[in-house]
């Protein structure tokens, strides 16, 4: 089992510029060159959200940062109008993990929000990191609460599109020498309506209570 704890001994502020630069270098080619300047790092300086934290994961120290950018510029197959606008306004969020000592990129995890056609005409536009914390009783899980909107909403300065909130669970596997992270939606669902870490933790505890101990041990 991977044990994840927030590491308050590391000062993240001095390394923020280096982290931002590394993320932009990684993301720009994956945006196919069209949106190389449209990459936003949630660092707590220009954005109201902060995702840059220090963590200890299975005894090793990491720094996390989340970024928002356009990675998929293909239109939806069921799009019939304003398709270019939907493509351009579609944004995804990724979580980046860096080695705390070297700032080398250790892992990139897409934060997947499933498109619910009952809510969204276009693709989910990931637009904010509301909160990030360990899952509590589930020591190998990191919870991230995301704010998102519909990429099909019109661009009007005086109009704020409706925002939806969902919380995702990232499961860590502590195989020696390898960092493996998997987003699992089997318990929380995707998308869901868990707007706080506390609500997602409660649901995870309910899920764990329904899993037989023998099955839980076998899964790990």
């Amino acid at each position: 089992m991977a044990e994840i704890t927030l590491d308050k001994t590391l000062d993240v502020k001095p390394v923020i510029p280096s982290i931002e630069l590394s993320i932009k270098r990684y993301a720009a080619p994956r945006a196919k060159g069209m949106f190389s300047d449209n990459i936003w790092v949630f660092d707590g300086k220009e954005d109201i959200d902060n995702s840059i934290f220090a963590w200890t994961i299975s005894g090793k120290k990491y720094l996390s940062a989340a970024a928002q950018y356009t990675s998929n510029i293909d239109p939806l197959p069921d799009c019939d109008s304003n398709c270019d606008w939907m493509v351009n306004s579609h944004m995804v969020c990724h979580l980046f993990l860096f080695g705390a000592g070297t700032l080398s990129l250790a892992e990139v995890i897409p934060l997947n929000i499933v498109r619910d056609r009952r809510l969204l005409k276009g693709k989910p536009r990931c637009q904010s990191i509301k909160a990030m914390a360990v899952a509590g009783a589930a020591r190998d899980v990191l919870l991230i609460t995301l704010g998102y909107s519909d990429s099909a909403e019109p661009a009007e300065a005086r109009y704020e599109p409706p925002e939806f909130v969902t919380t995702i669970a990232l499961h860590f596997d502590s195989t020696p020498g390898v960092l493996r992270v998997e987003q699992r939606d089997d318990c929380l669902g995707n998308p869901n309506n868990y707007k706080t870490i506390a609500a997602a933790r409660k649901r995870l505890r309910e899920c764990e209570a329904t899993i037989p101990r023998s099955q839980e041990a076998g899964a790990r």
Side-chain angles (χ1 to χ4, degrees):
M1 176 181 288
E3 183 174 2
I4 308 169
T5 57
L6 184 63
D7 193 331
K8 298 182 179 179
T9 65
L10 293 178
D11 181 8
V12 302
K13 291 182 180 178
V15 301
I16 285 177
S18 298
I19 288 176
E20 289 181 332
L21 181 61
S22 179
I23 289 175
K24 289 177 180 178
R25 284 176 173 170
Y26 175 94
R30 288 154 183 81
K32 302 185 181 180
M34 294 182 63
F35 303 96
S36 59
D37 297 325
N38 199 14
I39 299 169
W40 303 96
V41 182
F42 299 117
D43 58 20
K45 294 189 301 181
E46 298 179 0
D47 302 289
I48 61 173
D49 308 295
N50 187 354
S51 70
I52 298 184
F53 296 105
W55 306 91
T56 297
I57 303 172
S58 298
K60 293 185 178 181
K61 296 182 183 294
Y62 296 91
L63 298 173
S64 74
Q68 170 204 62
Y69 64 96
T70 302
S71 65
N72 183 353
I73 60 175
D74 297 322
L76 287 166
D78 58 350
C79 179
D80 56 10
S81 64
N82 298 322
C83 299
D84 289 341
W85 165 248
M86 289 188 204
V87 168
N88 292 352
S89 64
H90 167 57
M91 302 290 281
V92 298
C93 290
H94 283 44
L95 181 70
F96 294 77
L97 289 176
F98 299 85
T102 62
L103 293 187
S104 58
L105 187 59
E107 188 67 72
V108 181
I109 308 108
L111 306 181
N112 182 44
I113 303 172
V114 174
R115 177 193 179 204
D116 185 342
R117 298 190 184 192
R118 296 169 298 179
L119 301 176
L120 307 179
K121 182 177 179 181
K123 296 181 181 180
R125 175 185 171 88
C126 182
Q127 59 192 32
S128 64
I129 307 293
K130 301 293 186 184
M132 182 186 303
V134 293
R139 301 193 312 171
D140 58 342
V141 179
L142 186 65
L143 294 171
I144 304 178
T145 302
L146 303 171
Y148 69 100
S149 60
D150 191 345
S151 65
E153 290 286 348
E156 297 180 11
R158 293 174 294 179
Y159 173 70
E160 285 288 337
E163 183 181 59
F164 306 96
V165 178
T166 189
T167 297
I168 64 170
L170 300 182
H171 290 246
F172 286 70
D173 176 8
S174 60
T175 301
V178 178
L179 180 66
R180 291 194 180 97
V181 189
E182 178 188 12
Q183 178 178 331
R184 284 175 47 186
D185 304 325
D186 49 337
C187 177
L188 299 182
N190 190 344
N192 56 60
N193 198 34
Y194 298 113
K195 298 182 179 180
T196 65
I197 296 294
R201 283 173 173 167
K202 180 176 182 293
R203 178 56 187 155
L204 282 176
R205 288 195 298 269
E206 292 172 350
C207 287
E208 288 200 341
T210 63
I211 300 176
R213 289 297 177 183
S214 59
Q215 178 180 342
E216 183 179 1
R220 291 173 180 167

